[in-house]
Amino acid sequence: MTREQEFEELRPLLFSISYRILGSVTEAEDAVQETWLRYAKTSTQPRSVKAFLSTTVTRISIDVLGSARVRREEYVGPWLPEPLLADPYQDPERSVELADSVSMAALLLLERLSPLERAVFVLREVFGFEFAEVASAVDRSEAACRQLVSRARRHMQDGRTRFEADRRKRAELAGRFFDAFREGDVAGLRALLAADAQLVNDGGGKVGGRIPVHGVDKIARALAATAPPFIRIGAALEMHEVNGQPGAILRDRDGRVINTWVLDILDGRIQTIRSVINPDKLGHLGPVADLHAIIREKNETRRRAT
């Protein structure tokens, strides 16, 4: 097997490690590419290719996260991870850990950890690396890594979000929600929201609201006023799993991405609705719509109708 083949076989794992550390598809892809460049330049063959590549991508991701956290502190409005439509790495023995760890809620909890805590938690708790492997990856002692994992685990458990376990029930409720959303059905939306529901929009200060919306009535009315005007000018709302949870992609008439939606569902109600509308976070999904142009068209259509 050539080095390139070895690398490509492990690429899904490397991306999945990096994405969970960084919360960014584009930065994770860059970290994986840099890992390949370093591997290709290595003069000697590593004893364990998996260990070498996992260590390399982890260290690169920790370095990137340090500067990314500074940018996030200056971010305008709520910050959300870049939406991930499908996790490329699958392991039947760790399917539950993998699914939970890629949710928006889990990635936001990981933001509370230091870069080092985040890395060791991801390697150990999500991907099941042995402590010796984790210690080698982050250049710390096994004892130090055990402490880091223990501290990170406490933080994660304190704020852990529970989800509806039954995928069929989750999908059925999401279908009802997005039908009501398309139709601007305030009563239908209100009936599906939890009493303490919240709506969070990540527009990066470029578009959308900067403050989360709380309360069933406010959220239902905000949502009911959102989709129908776009659909009247040709937009389409496509249901799609986002970060392992029920969600959707809103596209313009030419198929360009306007934004993504993802739902946290528990006990037959929607707890949190998260929308990523910042165009800088959508490019990996395909061509991105010019939202300002769409809004102008929407307003002009409404003006002519009245």
Side-chain angles (χ1 to χ4, degrees), residues 199-218:
L199 168 63
V200 183
N201 288 298
D202 178 346
K206 299 177 174 64
V207 288
R210 301 182 182 184
I211 301 174
V213 181
H214 297 271
V216 172
D217 288 336
K218 287 183 178 179

Side-chain angles (χ1 to χ4, degrees), residues 15 18 25-36 60 64:
F15 172 85
S18 187
V25 172
T26 51
E27 288 176 342
E29 289 174 343
D30 288 345
V32 171
Q33 181 61 24
E34 177 61 25
T35 299
W36 160 247
I60 291 170
V64 172

Side-chain angles (χ1 to χ4, degrees), residues 23-271:
S24 166
V25 172
T26 51
E27 288 176 342
E29 289 174 343
D30 288 345
V32 171
Q33 181 61 24
E34 177 61 25
T35 299
W36 160 247
L37 294 175
R38 295 188 188 184
Y39 182 43
K41 292 177 182 177
T42 302
S43 57
T44 58
Q45 181 68 11
R47 183 163 45 186
S48 168
V49 175
K50 178 182 176 182
F52 175 86
L53 294 176
S54 299
T55 294
T56 302
V57 81
T58 297
R59 292 183 180 183
I60 291 170
S61 299
I62 290 172
D63 289 343
V64 172
L65 184 58
S67 58
R69 287 166 73 93
V70 174
R71 295 195 302 274
R72 289 170 196 177
E73 288 173 0
E74 301 171 349
Y75 198 78
V76 178
W79 180 91
L80 294 176
E82 288 185 7
L84 181 68
L85 300 189
D87 188 355
Y89 179 74
Q90 299 296 321
D91 180 354
E93 294 184 1
R94 304 193 66 81
S95 59
V96 174
E97 293 92 337
L98 290 170
D100 285 351
S101 66
V102 83
S103 70
M104 289 267 183
L107 292 173
L108 289 169
L109 277 179
L110 283 170
E111 283 290 305
R112 301 180 183 182
L113 308 181
S114 71
L116 196 57
E117 288 172 337
R118 188 163 180 164
V120 298
F121 181 87
V122 166
L123 292 175
R124 174 63 185 171
E125 297 294 295
V126 178
F127 294 97
F129 280 55
E130 297 297 329
F131 272 109
E133 297 172 306
V134 176
S136 176
V138 300
D139 195 24
R140 295 292 191 278
S141 69
E142 287 189 44
C145 288
R146 289 179 188 277
Q147 290 180 340
L148 287 165
V149 168
S150 178
R151 189 160 61 238
R153 191 186 294 127
R154 287 197 302 271
H155 282 301
M156 295 297 288
Q157 289 175 343
D158 287 344
R160 184 180 180 185
T161 298
R162 294 184 300 125
F163 300 111
E164 175 63 58
D166 189 317
R167 295 178 67 87
R168 182 188 59 79
K169 289 182 180 178
R170 233 170 34 180
E172 189 273 335
L173 191 147
R176 289 162 54 202
F177 170 84
F178 286 117
D179 284 345
F181 184 38
R182 287 187 190 93
E183 297 164 7
D185 179 359
V186 174
L189 289 166
R190 188 187 291 118
L192 298 173
L193 297 171
D196 58 349
Q198 64 171 335
L199 168 63
V200 183
N201 288 298
D202 178 346
K206 299 177 174 64
V207 288
R210 301 182 182 184
I211 301 174
V213 181
H214 297 271
V216 172
D217 288 336
K218 287 183 178 179
I219 293 173
R221 293 184 184 282
L223 291 171
T226 298
F230 286 100
I231 290 173
R232 281 195 290 271
I233 59 173
L237 189 68
E238 303 171 358
M239 287 189 63
H240 200 296
E241 195 168 84
V242 179
N243 286 80
Q245 301 299 317
I249 304 172
L250 183 64
R251 299 182 185 274
D252 70 8
R253 67 164 68 92
D254 298 314
R256 294 172 297 196
V257 178
I258 297 174
N259 72 329
T260 62
W261 300 86
V262 63
L263 311 177
D264 289 353
I265 297 173
L266 180 66
D267 297 331
R269 290 288 185 272
I270 295 167
Q271 307 286 326

